[in-house]
Amino acid sequence: MDKMRRILVHVCKDRAAPQRAQFVQRPAFCPIKHLSVAEAAAIPLDVQQRGVDVGVAIILQTANERVLLTRRAKELRIFPNVWVPPGGHLEPDETLLEAGLRELQEETGLKLEPEGVSPKILGLWESVYPPMLSRGLPQRHHIVIYMLLLSSRSHLQLQASLSPSPAEVSACLWADSRLVRAAVSAVDGEDAEVPLHGLQSSISVSQVSPDGALSDCALPLETLVSRAPVSGPDVERVSTGTKFALEVWLQTLETPTPDP
């Protein structure tokens, strides 16, 4: 049998023609790139047999062009205390949109109707945890589908309906394009200066208490422009995959909408 050269993934909406999904290259520090034969053999059998999971992450864009980011609870097994969009695993027999809307509601309390969100696939990201071999052998391997949903409500209207699950979310943030540009400029694995474009030194976020109550809290801007450290424990930051999806989102804002 010929060796497999590549796998092409296509996605389609309703009965529309399938479109080839956009991938991105793995970052330079990706563990899969650097696994030696001995290290690969040392990965526990239960991890190897788990295979590659599929996840959906929702980039929820408000009517006033902000996106919702959530900070994962520090007790979570993978990527604790990291800023990401709402999302999670795809269950059997679910569509991507169904999974995304379910995870959005479970994590944030926001219930959106499928016909009112105009879904669009932004791209696929290969995610490995831990994100660097210096923090241990891979434990989880995912393909994450980033899906853009357009809401007709502003972030203030949606904020009134926020009811995050404290078991999964420790804080929420509505990021505008200026903040997003700063975050994605902090490329993991590089050390170039991050342009802050006059942003304030702190950002207002909604802190989630253990009982689920929300309170305003100031988060240092430097937290959201932090990079994944090369070694040692991880830090609070925007995840690498999230930066990829947000950069694509910024490009959609710059693309003119065709006249009807």
Side-chain angles (χ1 to χ4, degrees):
M1 181 182 292
D2 292 338
K3 291 183 178 179
M4 183 176 293
R5 291 179 175 270
R6 61 179 176 174
I7 300 174
L8 300 180
V9 177
H10 290 75
V11 292
C12 63
K13 178 181 177 182
D14 300 326
R15 297 183 180 180
Q19 305 258 333
R20 184 178 299 179
Q22 174 184 347
F23 278 82
V24 69
Q25 291 183 345
R26 295 168 175 160
F29 52 80
C30 178
I32 302 300
K33 276 187 172 183
H34 301 287
L35 268 180
S36 67
V37 174
E39 287 169 330
I43 296 175
L45 189 60
D46 63 320
V47 175
Q48 295 184 42
Q49 292 179 339
R50 183 183 179 94
V52 181
D53 292 312
V54 177
V56 181
I58 296 300
I59 304 294
L60 177 60
Q61 177 185 322
T62 67
N64 56 334
E65 295 186 346
R66 297 199 180 201
V67 290
L68 177 62
L69 297 179
T70 60
R71 186 175 64 198
R72 290 173 58 80
K74 62 181 179 181
E75 297 82 12
L76 291 175
R77 189 181 332 184
I78 67 172
F79 295 109
N81 219 38
V82 171
W83 287 88
V84 297
H89 289 91
L90 185 72
E91 299 293 345
D93 301 322
E94 274 188 321
T95 66
L96 295 177
L97 180 57
E98 288 169 349
L101 291 177
R102 173 182 55 77
E103 290 287 350
L104 178 67
Q105 183 175 4
E106 290 176 0
E107 292 187 8
T108 71
L110 293 177
K111 180 175 173 56
L112 304 183
E113 298 302 326
E115 60 274 8
V117 290
S118 303
K120 177 182 178 181
I121 301 295
L122 292 179
L124 281 66
W125 178 262
E126 185 175 10
S127 173
V128 180
Y129 183 83
M132 297 179 183
L133 278 179
S134 60
R135 297 188 199 129
L137 294 176
Q139 300 171 18
R140 291 291 185 271
H141 194 175
H142 288 79
I143 294 295
V144 181
I145 296 98
Y146 285 96
M147 178 179 289
L148 174 64
L149 300 184
L150 303 179
S151 172
S152 60
R153 290 184 278 175
S154 71
H155 75 282
L156 293 177
Q157 291 172 314
L158 290 169
Q159 175 73 17
S161 301
L162 268 184
S163 180
S165 166
E168 299 189 73
V169 176
S170 62
C172 299
L173 160 68
W174 296 99
D176 62 16
S177 58
R178 285 199 313 156
L179 179 57
V180 167
R181 284 191 180 91
V184 302
S185 296
V187 179
D188 293 324
E190 299 181 6
D191 57 4
E193 184 178 351
V194 178
L196 299 182
H197 301 300
L199 289 166
Q200 299 294 320
S201 60
S202 63
I203 304 297
S204 178
V205 305
S206 296
Q207 189 91 10
V208 183
S209 70
D211 63 0
L214 296 178
S215 60
D216 292 338
C217 176
L219 181 75
L221 175 61
E222 63 185 24
T223 299
L224 296 176
V225 295
S226 295
R227 295 177 169 93
V230 175
S231 60
D234 208 345
V235 298
E236 183 179 349
R237 59 186 175 85
V238 178
S239 79
T240 310
T242 300
K243 291 178 184 178
F244 149 69
L246 291 177
E247 188 167 14
V248 178
W249 173 69
L250 288 173
Q251 294 169 8
T252 69
L253 295 183
E254 297 166 358
T255 302
T257 303
D259 294 330

